[in-house]
Amino acid sequence: MKRNGSDRKQRTLLYMVCHLLKLVGQSNPGMTLLFFLILMGTGVCTAGNVFFKQNFFDRVEELVRGSATMGLAVGSGIAMALFLIFTLIVQAASELIQNNFNLLLRGQMGRLLNEKAARISPVVFEDSRFLDHVSKAYTGMEAAAAVMHSTLSICIGETAYFIFMGSYFFSIKPALLFMFGLSFAPSIIGSVIRRRMYAQLENRSAPYRRKYEYFKRCICAREYVKETRLWRAEGFFGKLYRENLGKYTQLQWRTERHSELTEVALRFFLLIGYVGTIAMLFYYVFQGQVTVGAFAAVFASLDQLFDRMESVFNYRIGDIMRGFGAAQNFYAFLDLKEREGTDGTPLKRERIELKDLSFTYPNSAESALKNISLTVKKGETVAIVGVNGSGKSTLTRLLLGLFLPTEGHLLIDGKSVEEIRPEALYKGSSAVFQRYQCYKMTVEENTRLSDVNSAGRVDEALKKADFPLDSDKFAKGLDTMLGKDFGGIDLSGGQWQRLAIARGLYREHDMIVLDEPTAAIDPLEEADIYRKFTEISKDKTAFIVTHRLGSAKIADRIIVMDGGRIVETGTHEELMELGGRYREMYDAQAKWYA
Ligand code: ADP
Ligand code: MG
């Protein structure tokens, strides 16, 4: 994986806001427009109230002095009340619209992440650092959404409010506006400082978060709980959990503390500004330069104005900056290198050639495959055998085109695998993985998943895979829900395995890989499954992987792997004759098949 913290591209706030706006705007222009209008509306309404207040105070004061009628004073009181009611309605609508907009935004951002994950080269997922990327991308998504929302609500809602209030202050006395502006200058500088602190925090603390979340899972997640209980390892994981959580909170705490200190200093300046503004106002009224109504209205709204200014500069911009660092991770994920390719013509898979191919996992010192050369013609059944860790599964991942060779070449129909576009590469190939998935879905969905657009017959695939749908266990037949997570029934390891085989067979293919079932199936059952599988795949290219040699006999050709290399190749008889590694392993295992 090429991209890491150092060479990654930073997005500006403007880019983020525009990008996300475009994202929602394209999916729902009406909602986006409404969102803009309501933000502006709330800002203007809040400021407008000050106008109505001044008007009312002035009329009351005139009434007291005898220069205005009762009707006029009551009328302006009613106008003020009506406007307040209107403001309340706008605020309620604003909540609704903003929530709706947020849901829409997150939905669209989630879609981007999922689509991206589907385009990233699968080998990247083997890199432990990548998990950090995924975890950061999801927190980054939340952060980016919040950043965009806050930025817009400040730029539109608050700006409308401040412009309105600013012009109002200016119309009363320009010096008031000046004083007000001055008291906020330090806050602006402060928010820049804090932005830096939080960007660093996210980068440094994410690895600890990932660890403590993992250790928590080791203690209480379903897949771990049985083992952890048996080993009585709760304390062991608990300690690791606490250690990492401690480091995480320590980092958080340190940044929070610095940030709070800056904030206290800034508030001091604000206080001076607040007192100064009131003193000026008092002076102007005393001099008769400002009406009593204006004095009362400004005085009454000053608290709100300072609160809002303070909230914008000290908290909300702070929040944006804090989120901005994390939001970069959303984009860093979208920037990850994708699997490319130029040739999209469908493959016939007449010939698969591996030439001096080597493969090394990311972050791994030793190659998992070393100098492999092999040619397979269409329709051949090739068994790949060898002890655990000899590279069998890795080889199948390269044959499927999931991983690209790190050295040497893999040619399909004479085309280098790097040139072939992923869609063309995956079409027509199928697999039953060693660590197949048990999808918590119905039997039908579990099968159909491999080729969702195909009109193939699910029941046929299940039959081929010897998966009996007996009615006492599968009450709803194909619609029976599997797995405990969503209230379905659980299957035995062997049944899940057969379902995985059915899924592999359901997909239309001219090449298929069957990687060895792990603990789920006993040797005899495995031999039986493999025999059946080979029969089904007679006219297709098939790779069957096993460390139990009894299952390999039926293949057209057997390749024996050891330490990432092909050490022997031939038919069962030839290899027995040879009396090498294969023979040795076969004799050692023969007692199992007696
Ligand atoms: P087999 O299927 O024959 O048991 P594998 O192909 O799974 O063997 O593994 C071959 C070698 O590659 C082993 O040494 C294994 O430790 C290593 N390996 C497998 N997966 C990874 C991975 N994701 N990252 C690093 N090394 C791996
Ligand atoms: Mg394997």
Side-chain angles (χ1 to χ4, degrees):
M1 193 156 52
K2 257 174 52 205
R3 287 185 187 281
N4 51 34
S6 53
D7 66 351
R8 83 143 80 133
K9 184 167 142 200
Q10 291 278 323
R11 296 306 206 286
T12 62
L13 186 61
L14 184 68
Y15 174 90
M16 250 180 227
V17 173
C18 294
H19 171 250
L20 297 182
L21 254 187
K22 202 167 124 197
L23 196 65
V24 202
Q26 278 170 350
S27 86
N28 194 336
M31 180 50 81
T32 313
L33 184 68
L34 215 55
F35 175 74
F36 270 91
L37 290 179
I38 204 77
L39 282 182
M40 217 179 297
T42 31
V44 170
C45 276
T46 321
N49 278 308
V50 181
F51 249 172
F52 283 92
K53 265 185 209 156
Q54 185 201 332
N55 189 36
F56 179 60
F57 289 155
D58 278 339
R59 296 296 90 75
V60 172
E61 195 235 357
E62 284 162 16
L63 180 70
V64 174
R65 282 198 281 111
S67 60
T69 63
M70 181 58 112
L72 207 59
V74 171
S76 60
I78 291 174
M80 182 178 77
L82 285 179
F83 196 75
L84 267 176
I85 294 172
F86 175 69
T87 307
L88 283 180
I89 296 171
V90 170
Q91 274 164 356
S94 157
E95 284 274 310
L96 272 180
I97 291 171
Q98 292 194 40
N99 284 343
N100 219 315
F101 180 85
N102 269 331
L103 283 179
L104 202 69
L105 175 63
R106 269 154 236 246
Q108 291 297 321
M109 291 172 86
R111 180 181 60 81
L112 275 193
L113 284 188
N114 294 341
E115 284 174 1
K116 176 70 190 189
R119 288 195 306 264
I120 290 172
S121 183
V123 74
V124 176
F125 290 80
E126 304 293 325
D127 188 335
S128 66
R129 285 174 305 176
F130 177 73
L131 297 176
D132 238 2
H133 275 278
V134 178
S135 143
K136 281 172 156 188
Y138 277 91
T139 30
M141 172 181 116
E142 290 299 322
V147 161
M148 182 257 199
H149 191 158
S150 288
T151 308
L152 284 183
S153 97
I154 290 175
C155 290
I156 299 166
E158 300 298 325
T159 306
Y161 172 79
F162 290 130
I163 288 179
F164 207 89
M165 289 302 283
S167 342
Y168 179 64
F169 274 36
F170 192 80
S171 73
I172 298 173
K173 261 296 171 200
L176 277 179
L177 187 62
F178 179 72
M179 180 72 194
F180 192 74
L182 206 62
S183 43
F184 277 96
S187 299
I188 299 172
I189 300 166
S191 59
V192 175
I193 299 174
R194 280 190 304 195
R195 170 196 153 163
R196 295 230 183 90
M197 295 197 291
Y198 282 103
Q200 282 173 1
L201 175 66
E202 172 60 21
N203 276 331
R204 288 175 54 197
S205 64
Y208 293 116
R209 184 176 57 225
R210 194 161 74 79
K211 277 190 194 147
Y212 81 70
E213 280 171 354
Y214 176 69
F215 294 130
K216 190 170 76 189
R217 279 206 350 255
C218 290
I219 299 173
C220 54
R222 184 175 169 222
E223 68 264 37
Y224 289 99
V225 102
K226 287 189 237 60
E227 269 204 59
T228 303
R229 210 43 75 73
L230 186 65
W231 310 140
R232 298 189 159 262
E234 290 92 345
F236 173 72
F237 288 123
K239 184 162 167 278
L240 289 171
Y241 169 77
R242 283 192 303 277
E243 274 169 17
N244 284 285
L245 182 64
K247 284 184 189 143
Y248 177 77
T249 35
Q250 200 181 11
L251 282 176
Q252 295 272 344
W253 159 242
R254 216 178 293 157
T255 309
E256 296 286 345
R257 207 177 44 204
H258 287 160
S259 167
E260 286 305 320
L261 281 176
T262 326
E263 213 148 282
V264 169
L266 295 176
R267 289 180 84 116
F268 181 69
F269 281 100
L270 281 182
L271 193 67
I272 296 177
Y274 182 73
V275 174
T277 314
I278 292 181
M280 274 170 88
L281 207 55
F282 180 73
Y283 173 78
Y284 290 135
V285 170
F286 195 68
Q287 296 274 306
Q289 295 181 28
V290 163
T291 69
V292 176
F295 174 80
V298 170
F299 188 76
S301 48
L302 208 57
D303 271 354
Q304 189 193 41
L305 190 64
F306 265 88
D307 277 353
R308 282 184 90 130
M309 267 294 192
E310 202 192 350
S311 123
V312 168
F313 283 108
N314 282 358
Y315 300 108
R316 296 181 60 192
I317 292 190
D319 282 348
I320 291 178
M321 293 321 173
R322 210 170 318 190
F324 185 69
Q328 296 292 345
N329 295 320
F330 173 71
Y331 290 98
F333 187 81
L334 294 183
D335 284 343
L336 284 175
K337 199 166 160 359
E338 284 175 23
R339 179 66 177 274
E340 286 147 8
T342 45
D343 192 335
T345 47
L347 295 172
K348 292 204 179 71
R349 287 202 177 73
E350 296 290 352
R351 202 179 159 83
I352 301 173
E353 282 173 276
L354 284 68
K355 290 186 174 168
D356 208 15
L357 175 152
S358 297
F359 177 80
T360 311
Y361 281 97
N363 262 351
S364 184
E366 212 200 332
S367 300
L369 296 178
K370 298 174 194 126
N371 310 94
I372 305 269
S373 291
L374 174 74
T375 303
V376 180
K377 290 203 208 67
K378 189 166 190 164
E380 247 189 297
T381 300
V382 179
I384 306 172
V385 304
V387 294
N388 274 335
S390 55
K392 306 181 297 294
S393 295
T394 309
L395 180 60
T396 64
R397 289 174 196 143
L398 275 113
L399 287 166
L400 286 166
L402 289 169
F403 295 174
L404 295 176
T406 31
E407 275 168 63
H409 301 282
L410 194 159
L411 307 175
I412 303 176
D413 298 341
K415 283 189 274 201
S416 171
V417 69
E418 284 92 352
E419 291 166 18
I420 306 168
R421 290 171 71 105
E423 315 87 87
L425 195 57
Y426 302 145
K427 195 169 162 53
S429 67
S430 189
V432 182
F433 292 96
Q434 182 171 18
R435 292 218 234 151
Y436 53 87
Q437 292 303 322
C438 308
Y439 293 98
K440 311 303 189 274
M441 293 177 181
T442 65
V443 177
E444 164 143 14
E445 285 165 332
N446 256 286
T447 315
R448 217 179 257 290
L449 200 88
S450 62
D451 209 347
V452 280
N453 296 321
S454 153
R457 297 207 26 201
V458 171
D459 52 348
E460 272 176 13
L462 290 171
K463 206 165 140 209
K464 280 188 202 159
D466 268 339
F467 184 93
L469 265 181
D470 41 329
S471 54
D472 41 328
K473 182 159 175 125
F474 300 93
K476 292 191 187 159
L478 288 176
D479 291 329
T480 309
M481 186 71 187
L482 302 180
K484 292 262 181 268
D485 299 48
F486 303 109
I489 57 168
D490 224 340
L491 300 182
S492 70
Q495 281 172 315
W496 278 119
Q497 163 86 42
R498 285 168 197 275
L499 191 57
I501 294 177
R503 177 157 64 237
L505 294 176
Y506 179 77
R507 183 182 174 89
E508 266 181 52
H509 60 272
D510 38 43
M511 177 188 120
I512 188 161
V513 167
L514 175 62
D515 201 348
E516 56 188 338
T518 38
I521 285 176
D522 64 62
L524 289 179
E525 201 180 352
E526 181 187 310
D528 185 43
I529 288 180
Y530 276 48
R531 201 171 359 258
K532 189 111 194 288
F533 183 82
T534 316
E535 257 168 53
I536 298 166
S537 313
K538 233 186 345 250
D539 52 340
K540 315 220 153 129
T541 312
F543 295 92
I544 56 177
V545 177
T546 180
H547 66 278
R548 292 162 175 160
L549 304 195
S551 309
K553 272 194 242 175
I554 32 161
D556 299 325
R557 183 157 38 139
I558 299 170
I559 63 176
V560 185
M561 295 198 64
D562 195 14
R565 295 177 195 277
I566 296 182
V567 290
E568 287 171 17
T569 139
T571 61
H572 172 70
E573 288 73 24
E574 285 166 2
L575 291 176
M576 289 302 278
E577 185 80 8
L578 189 69
R581 190 96 182 81
Y582 182 83
R583 170 96 205 214
E584 189 187 316
M585 287 165 75
Y586 190 86
D587 288 344
Q589 290 180 7
K591 54 180 181 293
W592 297 106
Y593 308 104

